[in-house]
Amino acid sequence: MGLPNDYDEGLSMQRAAFKQYAQAIPGAYAIRKADKAPCRMACPAGLNVQGYVQMVKEGKFHEALEIIMEDLPLPGVLGRICPHGCEDACRRAEVDEPVAIRNLKRLAADRVDPRGIQIPCAPARPDRVAIIGSGPAGLSCAYHLARKGFRSTIFEALSQPGGMLRVGIPAHRLPREVLEQEIEVVTNLGVEIELNTALGRDLSIDDLFRKGYKAVYLALGAHKGIELGVPGEKADGVRQGVDFLREVNLTGMARVGRKVVIIGGGNVAIDVSRSAVRLGAEETTIIYRRTRSEMPAWEEEIQAAEAEGAGITYLAAPQEVLTRNGQVVGLRCIRMQLTEPDSSGRKRPVPIPGSEFEIECDQLIPAIGQRPDLTALENITGLTFSRYGTLEVNAVTYATERPGVFAGGDLQTGPWVAIGAVAAGKEAAESILRYIEGRDVAAGRQPVAHENPRYRPIPQNETRRPRARMPELPVAQRRGSFNEVELGFDEPAGRAEAGRCVNCGYCCECLQCVDACLAKAVDHHQVPVTRDLQVGSVILCPGSEPFDPAMLANVYPYRKNPDVVTSLEFERLLSASGPTMGHLVRPSDGKEPKKIAWLQCVGSRDINRSGNGYCSSVCCMYAIKDAMIAKDHAHGDLDCAIFYMDIRTFGKDYEKYYTRAKDTAGVRFINARVHSVDEAGPGRSLRLRFVDEKGEIREEAFDMVVLSVGLQVTPETRELAKRLAIDVDRYNFAVSPPFLPVATSRPGVFAGGVFQQPKDIPGSVAEASAAACLAGRMLSAARNTLTRQVELPAEIDIRGAEPRIGVFVCNCGVNIAAVVDVKGVQEYARTLPNVVFAGQNLFTCSQDSQELMKQAIAEHRLNRVVVAACSPKTHEGIFMDTLEGTGLNKYLFEMANIRNQDSWVHSQTPRQATAKAKQLVAMAAARAATLNPLAEKVIPVNPRALVIGGGVAGMNAALAIADQGYEVVLVEKEERLGGMAHRLHATIEGWDIQRYLQELMGRVQSHPRIQALTRSLIVGFGGFKGNFTTEVLVGPGMYERKIDHGVVILATGATEYRPTEYGYGQSEHVVTQVELGARLQEHGARGLAQVVMIQCVGSRNEQNPNCSRVCCQAAVKNAIHIKDLSPATDVFILYRDMRTYGLLEDYYEQARRKGILFFRYDADAPPRVETRDGGVTVTFRDRIIGRELQVEADLLALSAGLVPSDTEELSSIVKLARTPEGHFMEAHVKLRPVDMATEGLFICGTAHSPQLINESIGQAHAAASRAVTFLSKSRLTLSAVTAKVNPDVCAACLICVRSCPYHVPRINAEGVSHIDEALCHGCGICAAECPAKAIELNWYEDEQLLCKVDALLEGIL
Amino acid sequence: MRLNYPSSVRIIRVPCTGKVDVLHLLRCFERGADGVYVVGCREGDCHYQNGNFRAKKRVEQAQQLLDRIGIGGSRIRMCNLSSSDAPLFVRFAEEMHAAVMSAGPNPIRGARAAMKAAPDASSPAAHP
């Protein structure tokens, strides 16, 4: 089944059974389901319509029949005569017309003989069941009983089986051979049919029980025609429609008149008319009392009857049968008119007085309905009847009041559809099974109500395709013959028709996957389970969704034009694993684009249209990245233009990337908001209109337009927040209390990632750790209370033993076995040197295979194991654990990857693949023979942390660790704790920083597990993760102290840049933002008539190429503060890009509303400042009016950047990597944002990068969390894959010392290189570099690699 | 993604390309391999910081040696890719396969065959 691949943003297709993406871990498949499709819900018998339609689409007619015959033994019959309620429910009608479901069912039965389908049946049971009536209900009941193991006997009153299917429906609609074949389907299961045996006349219910039948099923149908109730009805030539049809259908003939009048509007009336025509009637007229639109007969049947010459008189009712000599000669009718609807919802016909008319006829056939003939049942005790003359049963179980007697079909419902009778028979079979077994007949069978079912949305771009038309026998060939009129679809037409199905339920439940899965892992009966979990804390990381620009269709022709894509779609186009495998092409025509435009802020910073007033924080950076990658992927010149309002590259080192894109890579940045995107026509370019910086309207054409869509909280998350009773803001982001960035309004519930507010990956990762920290703080008492220890047997000593290798070759289901000759590989493996055992498994990684492997190891005394299967990246650990479980050292193991490196990638050349698999196994076995047991070193962990820096970040980290039960030594070089925060007063939200700081310092100083050392300096440092020793000079006495600790947190902070620009230091009227904040705090806005602020002072320039992140909000914060204190004061903010990211955008907006004036300036033309008495004169150019402006300011505030504290000496002592600007360098920018490359060291706060106080707190919690992952373990097990030096060969040449990326090797007291295994990362670079070959990397020793080369190339020379 | 690539490729796993020694590379040719390529992280993205640059240097060194002894430096190369870039992996395999096909069999194989045929022909004069 083809469904849009969500991971590829719908740009490629996937199946309902899918893996999220190629590299997904776990690499497991899922099956996408919605509620059961409406067609299936509409079918009385619950046929899996979507399933068999999909099989027909695939041309799998056999499988289609298997699905149909799960419920229905008569596919060809119902495929012709079912009134198909499923089609009325079909959602394809929302696009064009319903899928021709019934005809597809018939196609399957036309292509494959249903008698050839294997019907799985339970083992035969001795109990027998009697069924009265061989119509659809009786046949269905017998069929389903047979599947449950019961043999039944059907007693049929007529001479031929089939009930109404045979005697009610003429052969031109249902050929006799089709019906007979499908009755055979039932009798082939051992069901007996006794004909000419009527209840009442030939047998009684009591007889049946006496004969040993355990249950009786009554399915007598409704074969008695309803009389007209008009005078003359007993005349010759008047005959009930059902009686007429019965005779025709049983004998192939019946007397027909010349002029036949039929009364009624249902299918029976039509069948009578069409049969009469075939039997030679010259003229048939149908009289119906309502109009055509109320007529219950099917439209196609009415049309067919008309085509065959039937006349239909609407709005007429019979009044009297006109007779002559007891023989009918005509009919007096009266005209009717329709009035208000009756109980059936149809308009009620009433006679028009005086409108009588007569028609001539010689045969009159009433077909106004039929009812059950109850004569045989009326006197049976225990049976009750409704006032409609039907038998009453339990609505769920179909049990009558009499024990052991069940009933269904038309007898119980009155005349209804055949598929309803089939459903009733199936349900009765279930009841009979339970009755005979003595179980509760009704339990668990109440119908499930499906309110608001969820279905796959109908694709918006679904093209309209007309429903396939049924080919028919030409009208001229119909008279005089009962040959079938509808000829059936041919295969291509049917498969195309099935392709119109929109797959409402996603998975069609064809269950092919269940058969295909050799591991028996697929379970379609899984249902959501509600479970109660006792937890101490909840962390919410529900993520976000990209804004859907479809709602802005009037601006951007997204979805209308395939070349307008969202940024996420564009990312997929760039991805190597994406729909185009990384080949950048235009979706409309597959050509490479020459010009691409990015439109920023789509669904962000937009209160008018999307309502998302915030900045999504990530789009500028991803747009630049995508432009850079696009340029990289393009063959030839690619022009990339980014249309933006402000470029917000405020993250760590992001500005440098922006500068590179602009100045080196030539990405164009256009400061304009595009107001329209016009399509020049399909396959042609897109025209963008925008107002440029000079205020002129411009137009430019592009091949593709990328919409940089923002992030937003999903409706599901909104609901989740509601259920958890946590507060969200107006954009649905979680609200946090002051100074606790990942907490929510509800204690114990934490939120991280974009749900907290829009942010990038490093921010999200850090926050996740922060949330874990806060949760851990509450749960620390419970730590390790639920863990279990694995008990391992003592290690077997294999020293001196000859290698005894066991090779386990995996079939991986069909993954390997379908390509590689696994048996051949297994046999070959046995011939290899040292191999004493070779086996194969269906799935070597399965639990039972592990047990078999353990047995084989013991039985064959294996001391090396080779698994030829998949990738060690995913499976090595499992097998190593198994080895350990048998007492073998886990390093005595090797894998040969005959799946990922062989069967998967050489599927086209199976012979070569088998040869390669053998070689891979030979190589693995050769290496296995060389392997030695390796001991993993276990080191203790000192559960004490050292925090360097006592600012807000350092104190928070210290408290977070100490609160979890570990000791902390906090070292601060200044006299008091608090750092930079002493100079700050309030956050932009208005939170009081001083009060917070006092509280924080108080908690740190009084915490029993924190020692705060002020005026202290780090002077020495050594050790490795878990075991560091630091020498500290502790003030004021400056005595030396050695501190042993397990982890280090670096929180050395930053200070405000001291400007040299704009007359700072020369005039008291020039201050920094921090100074302005203090001044406003102390003196208010007194004397400030005009204030100018200049942004990016000491940031984004040659000396400091980074953005300082905090200054834009600082300016906005202080400007708002001034306006609040003194609304008359004019405030001018001169900026390059306003970087009020995330929710700060609201304050920017507020500032503009308060009348604060913003002017953009160019880095090449900064404002000019002249100091004068009583103020400064600031001159700058306004780009929109194109003129210089001058402001006489009382005060000039410089938004001075943040510079990291001087850590030069500290870095050399502790050996810390720093950026050129002096920030500490994390281990991985995205994924390990607070870890240093050296294990056991963590960073947080402004020592990491410029950030706001709240962000610093979050990062401090993150670093504390990471640190606790070490502290909470009493010991660490180190990998044994480390380098070791042979001191006898070492020449102390220092090459290893210089080449190690982690500075691990040292020349020791003996004058040779020493590599500390606790510090070694195991890359092996030193081993490769060592000229004396004195160094070997464990598990990758030279011989262990070279033996693979030798094994591979053996015999080549 | 299970993209097919030439089945002539056999992979030997190392923790980092920085572990690959010139001796390892030369041993392959000594034993008759027709080509060797070293596949590491993208430049600047080395998991161990700079191992791939070291590997690059060693590959270059091996290239010069192979050129000098007449085996041909085109039989060895360094490739860099990210672990998620399957199409590029396939391209490298195809390029290497093509390069080896056009270079023909490792001359050592021919020389060894000749030696086997005429055991005395190992004098320096017989060397190309």
Side-chain angles (χ1 to χ4, degrees):
Chain A
M1 162 187 314
L3 292 170
N5 179 336
D6 284 349
Y7 184 73
D8 274 344
E9 292 292 302
L11 296 169
S12 65
M13 300 299 272
Q14 66 181 22
R15 289 162 181 263
F18 68 102
K19 187 168 147 181
Q20 190 129 33
Y21 51 97
Q23 303 87 359
I25 293 176
Y29 278 75
I31 296 177
R32 182 141 197 204
K33 291 194 181 208
D35 280 316
K36 286 202 185 345
C39 44
R40 188 172 191 176
M41 300 304 294
C43 177
L47 258 64
N48 179 4
V49 176
Q50 194 193 336
Y52 70 74
V53 168
Q54 290 309 307
M55 290 303 106
V56 170
K57 184 179 87 182
E58 298 290 315
K60 295 179 171 178
F61 299 111
H62 192 274
E63 288 81 356
L65 276 192
E66 284 179 335
I67 293 173
I68 295 167
M69 292 171 73
E70 262 304 299
D71 303 294
L72 167 70
L74 311 168
V77 173
L78 273 294
R80 287 171 169 81
I81 58 106
C82 188
H84 51 68
C86 49
E87 294 182 22
D88 299 338
C90 178
R91 287 166 71 241
R92 177 79 204 185
E94 292 173 31
V95 182
D96 37 45
E97 294 172 274
V99 176
I101 298 169
R102 183 192 64 197
N103 296 339
L104 296 177
K105 178 159 50 218
R106 168 177 168 179
L107 175 61
D110 283 352
R111 293 286 132 181
V112 175
D113 188 334
R115 291 172 296 184
I117 302 294
Q118 271 291 326
I119 310 293
C121 290
R125 296 158 173 269
D127 310 297
R128 297 180 62 210
V129 179
I131 295 169
I132 314 295
S134 65
L139 288 171
S140 166
C141 186
Y143 175 74
H144 287 287
L145 281 171
R147 298 188 60 186
K148 295 176 198 295
F150 292 108
R151 265 181 51 221
S152 54
T153 307
I154 301 178
F155 299 95
E156 169 58 52
L158 297 174
S159 59
Q160 293 174 41
M164 266 301 183
L165 297 175
R166 180 179 298 270
V167 300
I169 298 170
H172 68 263
R173 284 217 285 140
L174 176 56
R176 300 299 99 167
E177 58 276 16
V178 172
L179 178 60
E180 259 140 38
Q181 275 175 17
E182 297 188 355
I183 291 174
E184 256 180 65
V185 167
V186 179
T187 53
N188 283 349
L189 300 181
V191 174
E192 289 164 13
I193 302 181
E194 290 194 19
L195 299 172
N196 300 313
T197 313
L199 188 71
R201 185 185 72 199
D202 305 313
L203 46 82
S204 73
I205 289 180
D206 291 333
D207 287 343
L208 291 170
F209 281 121
R210 225 174 289 128
K211 282 183 186 162
Y213 290 101
K214 287 288 178 347
V216 176
Y217 182 60
L218 301 174
L220 280 65
H223 290 255
K224 194 169 171 189
I226 293 174
E227 291 172 350
L228 291 173
V230 297
E233 205 174 346
K234 300 288 177 211
D236 274 355
V238 180
R239 185 152 197 223
Q240 272 296 331
V242 280
D243 297 340
F244 172 79
L245 287 176
R246 187 183 308 120
E247 185 181 347
V248 173
N249 288 324
L250 286 175
T251 64
M253 51 217 258
R255 193 192 78 78
V256 288
R258 198 170 50 80
K259 279 187 153 186
V260 182
V261 166
I262 302 141
I263 319 278
N267 278 334
V268 176
I270 302 288
D271 281 342
V272 169
S273 165
R274 297 184 67 186
S275 298
V277 168
R278 281 166 173 74
L279 293 170
E282 284 170 22
E283 195 181 315
T284 63
T285 305
I286 297 170
I287 309 270
Y288 179 52
R289 55 187 184 147
R290 292 185 171 93
T291 68
R292 179 163 186 149
S293 53
E294 285 86 25
M295 213 160 162
W298 305 343
E299 179 58 28
E300 60 262 37
E301 282 293 303
I302 303 171
Q303 283 177 18
E306 284 177 330
E308 291 162 12
I312 306 179
T313 303
Y314 297 103
L315 291 169
Q319 277 206 314
E320 187 186 345
V321 181
L322 305 175
T323 58
R324 190 185 304 142
N325 305 327
Q327 165 69 37
V328 62
V329 291
L331 183 69
R332 180 179 306 121
C333 300
I334 187 162
R335 300 270 176 219
M336 308 292 276
Q337 63 183 0
L338 295 180
T339 58
E340 74 285 355
D342 65 8
S343 59
S344 73
R346 295 179 301 175
K347 286 179 179 165
R348 199 160 62 90
V350 292
I352 304 170
S355 66
E356 291 84 353
F357 65 100
E358 289 178 5
I359 33 178
E360 188 195 328
C361 66
D362 57 0
Q363 187 173 31
L364 177 70
I365 305 186
I368 59 167
Q370 57 270 26
R371 54 189 166 82
D373 185 347
L374 299 175
T375 13
L377 302 171
E378 269 159 353
N379 299 321
I380 298 174
T381 44
L383 299 187
T384 56
F385 303 93
S386 74
R387 61 192 177 95
Y388 305 106
T390 56
L391 185 60
E392 283 186 326
V393 295
N394 178 298
V396 172
T397 64
Y398 293 88
T400 66
E401 293 289 313
R402 177 161 179 177
V405 178
F406 300 82
D410 285 358
L411 170 64
Q412 176 252 327
T413 56
W416 195 40
V417 298
I419 193 71
V422 169
K426 182 184 168 193
E427 289 304 319
E430 173 66 21
S431 298
I432 290 168
L433 165 74
R434 294 182 185 206
Y435 169 77
I436 292 176
E437 288 187 344
R439 288 190 283 141
D440 185 337
V441 177
R445 296 174 70 186
Q446 285 302 324
V448 183
H450 282 269
E451 282 167 26
N452 303 322
R454 287 197 315 182
Y455 297 130
R456 179 189 167 213
I458 291 173
Q460 295 189 349
N461 53 359
E462 187 71 37
T463 45
R464 294 164 67 100
R465 278 183 285 163
R467 177 180 159 110
R469 298 286 157 226
M470 174 58 82
E472 290 183 348
L473 192 71
V475 175
Q477 295 175 27
R478 299 186 196 171
R479 200 168 262 272
S481 123
F482 278 90
N483 288 345
E484 186 168 26
V485 172
E486 295 194 342
L487 302 175
F489 286 152
D490 62 17
E491 196 172 317
R495 291 182 59 180
E497 176 64 17
R500 293 175 65 242
C501 172
V502 289
N503 285 307
C504 298
Y506 295 104
C507 168
C508 70
E509 301 190 337
C510 62
L511 307 190
Q512 301 264 296
C513 56
V514 175
D515 293 339
C517 178
L518 299 178
K520 302 277 164 248
V522 185
D523 176 7
H524 280 267
H525 300 287
Q526 279 181 334
V527 284
V529 182
T530 306
R531 283 205 298 176
D532 288 329
L533 298 177
Q534 293 291 322
V535 296
S537 168
V538 176
I539 297 176
L540 302 174
C541 305
S544 62
E545 63 180 5
F547 171 75
D548 180 359
M551 70 173 286
L552 306 178
N554 54 339
V555 193
Y556 315 114
Y558 178 66
R559 292 232 173 93
K560 276 189 356 218
N561 187 310
D563 297 333
V564 179
V565 298
T566 67
S567 40
L568 218 55
E569 289 166 354
F570 191 75
E571 289 243 353
R572 293 314 299 153
L573 290 176
L574 289 178
S575 168
S577 62
T580 56
M581 301 230 247
H583 185 52
L584 176 56
V585 293
R586 214 155 63 154
S588 62
D589 56 6
K591 285 188 188 146
E592 291 189 2
K594 295 267 169 271
K595 285 183 75 174
I596 305 178
W598 274 260
L599 310 191
Q600 297 306 104
C601 300
V602 176
S604 305
R605 303 182 66 187
D606 168 27
I607 39 178
N608 297 328
R609 293 174 302 195
S610 69
N612 294 344
Y614 54 87
C615 161
S616 291
S617 299
V618 297
C619 326
C620 284
M621 198 57 193
Y622 76 54
I624 299 172
K625 175 197 73 177
D626 286 346
M628 296 279 269
I629 298 176
K631 273 182 169 286
D632 193 42
H633 282 210
H635 304 100
D637 279 346
L638 175 67
D639 176 19
C640 296
I642 298 179
F643 291 82
Y644 70 99
M645 296 202 284
D646 295 281
I647 285 294
R648 293 186 167 171
T649 44
F650 55 87
K652 186 177 189 177
D653 286 346
Y654 288 3
E655 181 72 12
K656 289 186 198 163
Y657 191 75
Y658 167 40
T659 312
R660 214 168 85 214
K662 190 166 50 147
D663 300 340
T664 314
V667 175
R668 285 193 293 145
F669 289 85
I670 301 169
N671 183 211
R673 188 129 197 184
V674 170
H675 65 69
S676 67
V677 177
D678 296 320
E679 303 173 78
R684 312 251 309 277
S685 54
L686 294 148
R687 256 200 318 274
L688 269 54
R689 278 162 66 85
F690 55 94
V691 178
D692 73 4
E693 292 160 6
K694 296 193 183 84
E696 284 165 20
I697 295 180
R698 280 179 47 197
E699 257 191 38
E700 194 175 339
F702 289 89
D703 299 327
M704 274 184 85
V705 169
V706 182
L707 305 178
S708 291
V709 290
L711 307 176
Q712 60 190 17
V713 174
T714 65
E716 291 80 10
T717 301
R718 210 158 54 214
E719 287 304 309
L720 178 68
K722 216 180 276 171
R723 281 203 300 280
L724 295 176
I726 62 163
D727 293 345
V728 294
D729 68 9
R730 63 191 172 113
Y731 303 123
N732 298 311
F733 295 111
V735 175
S736 300
F739 303 112
L740 257 185
V742 297
T744 66
S745 59
R746 182 166 178 182
V749 180
F750 305 99
V754 175
F755 180 41
Q756 197 261 349
Q757 64 163 295
K759 61 177 60 72
D760 57 6
I761 294 172
S764 293
V765 172
E767 253 180 19
S769 291
C773 173
L774 297 192
R777 228 176 189 170
M778 305 176 69
L779 305 176
S780 59
R783 178 168 279 131
N784 292 337
T785 53
L786 293 173
T787 50
R788 277 188 300 164
Q789 286 292 326
V790 182
E791 297 291 334
L792 290 178
E795 191 168 308
I796 300 166
D797 186 359
I798 65 153
R799 271 175 304 176
E802 279 296 301
R804 293 180 63 82
I805 301 173
V807 179
F808 298 83
V809 188
C810 186
N811 284 274
C812 196
V814 294
N815 275 294
I816 293 169
V819 177
V820 169
D821 169 14
V822 172
K823 192 159 191 319
V825 174
Q826 179 197 359
E827 279 163 9
Y828 170 76
R830 254 192 218 118
T831 67
L832 293 167
N834 299 314
V835 172
V836 296
F837 171 82
Q840 60 164 299
N841 314 86
L842 185 58
F843 293 100
T844 309
C845 57
S846 68
Q847 195 61 48
D848 50 331
S849 297
Q850 300 306 291
E851 289 309 313
L852 290 174
M853 191 182 288
K854 282 183 183 171
Q855 284 168 21
I857 290 171
E859 192 180 323
H860 300 277
R861 290 178 294 113
L862 304 179
N863 56 22
R864 307 284 193 290
V865 172
V866 170
V867 170
C870 52
S871 170
K873 276 295 209 192
T874 52
H875 281 70
E876 197 171 64
I878 295 172
F879 300 120
M880 284 182 155
D881 285 351
T882 301
L883 259 64
E884 281 190 312
T886 66
L888 271 186
N889 183 281
K890 70 180 197 183
Y891 291 99
L892 299 170
F893 173 73
E894 170 72 344
M895 282 185 88
N897 191 343
I898 61 169
R899 188 184 73 179
N900 309 42
Q901 293 178 10
D902 195 26
S903 66
W904 275 357
V905 292
H906 309 312
S907 51
Q908 310 300 320
T909 49
R911 229 152 26 90
Q912 284 92 323
T914 300
K916 178 169 171 178
K918 288 178 181 171
Q919 278 188 335
L920 291 175
V921 170
M923 290 160 74
R927 181 169 122 91
T930 66
L931 294 175
N932 304 312
L934 297 172
E936 292 181 333
K937 189 173 178 177
V938 176
I939 52 168
V941 176
N942 183 323
R944 184 186 295 128
L946 177 75
V947 178
I948 305 175
V952 166
M955 286 193 286
N956 267 295
L959 278 171
I961 294 171
D963 282 350
Q964 299 195 47
Y966 307 100
E967 266 183 56
V968 180
V969 178
L970 177 61
V971 178
E972 165 60 45
K973 67 177 181 202
E974 300 295 332
E975 213 167 316
R976 59 172 183 174
L977 298 172
M980 175 78 180
H982 282 294
R983 300 181 61 201
L984 307 173
H985 297 279
T987 67
I988 199 165
E989 296 89 353
W991 306 336
D992 184 343
I993 295 175
Q994 286 312 308
R995 214 176 81 191
Y996 170 69
L997 186 61
Q998 291 310 319
E999 216 177 86
L1000 191 66
M1001 286 161 57
R1003 284 187 55 209
V1004 167
Q1005 276 151 349
S1006 63
H1007 201 294
R1009 282 187 289 273
I1010 300 178
Q1011 287 181 60
L1013 310 177
T1014 50
R1015 273 198 266 178
S1016 299
L1017 289 174
I1018 309 284
V1019 291
F1021 179 82
F1024 47 84
K1025 57 182 170 186
N1027 298 274
F1028 296 108
T1029 304
T1030 300
E1031 290 157 44
V1032 184
L1033 280 184
V1034 183
M1038 300 319 265
Y1039 65 92
E1040 197 179 304
R1041 202 178 133 181
K1042 270 195 177 161
I1043 300 163
D1044 292 330
H1045 53 101
V1047 294
V1048 181
I1049 289 184
L1050 300 160
T1052 50
T1055 51
E1056 193 183 36
Y1057 166 69
R1058 242 190 100 75
T1060 55
E1061 301 91 334
Y1062 302 118
Y1064 181 81
Q1066 295 155 28
S1067 163
E1068 55 171 343
H1069 301 288
V1070 183
V1071 297
T1072 65
Q1073 288 291 0
V1074 170
E1075 289 161 356
L1076 172 60
R1079 184 200 149 124
L1080 293 173
Q1081 190 69 23
E1082 285 157 33
H1083 310 294
R1086 236 180 315 132
L1088 299 179
Q1090 293 204 311
V1091 176
V1092 176
M1093 299 180 181
I1094 299 177
Q1095 300 304 105
C1096 300
V1097 178
S1099 307
R1100 302 180 67 190
N1101 57 22
E1102 249 171 63
Q1103 292 76 42
N1104 176 16
N1106 280 313
C1107 165
S1108 289
R1109 184 176 179 125
V1110 301
C1111 337
C1112 281
Q1113 68 87 37
V1116 168
K1117 174 178 78 177
N1118 286 337
I1120 291 175
H1121 196 181
I1122 292 170
K1123 275 286 185 188
D1124 286 348
L1125 294 168
S1126 162
T1129 303
D1130 292 326
V1131 184
F1132 303 84
I1133 297 182
L1134 312 183
Y1135 71 98
R1136 288 169 59 191
D1137 292 284
M1138 277 312 287
R1139 294 186 166 173
T1140 44
Y1141 55 91
L1143 303 179
L1144 296 171
E1145 182 70 11
D1146 275 357
Y1147 296 97
Y1148 179 28
E1149 206 256 323
Q1150 202 185 97
R1152 294 199 308 272
R1153 253 191 294 121
K1154 285 181 187 287
I1156 294 160
L1157 299 168
F1158 289 84
F1159 295 91
R1160 183 188 292 272
Y1161 76 86
D1162 258 337
D1164 340 333
R1168 296 190 306 280
V1169 174
E1170 282 164 60
T1171 56
R1172 56 177 170 78
D1173 276 352
V1176 287
T1177 305
V1178 183
T1179 312
F1180 56 94
R1181 192 175 173 78
D1182 178 76
R1183 301 207 298 183
I1184 293 169
I1185 56 172
R1187 283 174 52 183
E1188 293 242 309
L1189 298 179
Q1190 210 167 60
V1191 179
E1192 300 292 330
D1194 306 307
L1195 192 71
L1196 171 64
L1198 303 179
S1199 292
L1202 277 180
V1203 286
S1205 302
D1206 182 5
T1207 52
E1208 180 110 36
E1209 203 183 326
L1210 181 69
S1211 302
S1212 78
I1213 296 170
V1214 188
K1215 292 196 180 50
L1216 301 166
R1218 296 187 306 164
T1219 67
E1221 292 74 37
H1223 289 115
F1224 291 124
M1225 225 146 71
E1226 57 274 47
H1228 190 285
V1229 176
K1230 302 272 178 222
L1231 304 178
R1232 292 174 66 197
V1234 301
D1235 294 27
M1236 291 292 284
T1238 311
E1239 286 189 273
L1241 268 60
F1242 308 94
I1243 358 160
C1244 59
T1246 45
H1248 172 283
S1249 59
Q1251 51 199 303
L1252 295 171
I1253 195 163
N1254 225 27
E1255 294 165 338
S1256 279
I1257 296 168
Q1259 235 184 21
H1261 289 150
S1265 181
R1266 299 288 301 137
V1268 167
T1269 58
F1270 277 91
L1271 298 175
S1272 61
K1273 292 175 193 148
S1274 58
R1275 60 182 78 89
L1276 296 173
T1277 303
L1278 306 178
S1279 165
V1281 181
T1282 52
K1284 59 174 190 278
V1285 182
N1286 176 356
D1288 300 341
V1289 190
C1290 176
C1293 66
L1294 296 181
I1295 284 179
C1296 55
V1297 175
R1298 293 194 190 107
S1299 65
C1300 175
Y1302 307 98
H1303 313 292
V1304 177
R1306 293 259 175 287
I1307 304 302
N1308 64 12
E1310 282 88 58
V1312 291
S1313 173
H1314 171 75
I1315 293 171
D1316 190 329
E1317 57 197 315
L1319 295 173
C1320 179
H1321 286 233
C1323 61
I1325 290 172
C1326 56
E1329 290 285 335
C1330 178
K1333 295 290 139 214
I1335 306 178
E1336 286 278 22
L1337 179 66
N1338 282 336
W1339 218 43
Y1340 292 100
E1341 293 172 19
D1342 286 330
E1343 193 40 43
Q1344 293 170 348
L1345 296 177
L1346 292 174
C1347 68
K1348 291 189 108 170
V1349 173
D1350 295 348
L1352 169 62
L1353 299 170
E1354 200 192 317
I1356 288 257
L1357 292 179
Chain B
M1 294 171 81
R2 310 185 189 182
L3 308 174
N4 272 253
Y5 59 82
S7 60
S8 53
V9 177
R10 307 281 182 275
I11 296 172
I12 294 177
R13 179 195 187 194
V14 288
C16 171
T17 51
K19 172 73 186 78
V20 180
D21 203 325
V22 178
L23 293 174
H24 302 155
L25 300 173
L26 295 182
R27 173 78 81 100
C28 299
F29 293 101
E30 189 188 335
R31 292 293 149 95
D34 296 321
V36 174
Y37 62 121
V38 178
V39 187
C41 301
R42 281 157 50 121
E43 292 188 357
D45 283 345
C46 175
H47 184 73
Y48 296 104
Q49 300 188 9
N50 59 9
N52 52 357
F53 283 107
R54 292 184 180 276
K56 187 180 172 186
K57 274 193 189 164
R58 294 185 203 130
V59 167
E60 283 163 5
Q61 200 183 343
Q63 239 161 12
Q64 287 165 13
L65 289 171
L66 291 176
D67 270 335
R68 206 174 309 156
I69 61 173
I71 289 176
S74 65
R75 294 180 183 279
I76 184 162
R77 59 174 69 170
M78 176 84 198
C79 302
N80 300 86
L81 48 68
S82 90
S83 59
S84 60
D85 199 341
L88 189 58
F89 184 88
V90 169
R91 210 181 83 202
F92 286 149
E94 283 167 349
E95 284 174 3
M96 193 67 209
H97 183 80
V100 167
M101 291 308 278
S102 79
N106 181 343
I108 288 184
R109 271 155 65 182
R112 276 295 179 91
M115 269 166 64
K116 272 182 198 164
D120 297 336
S122 58
S123 67
H127 216 266

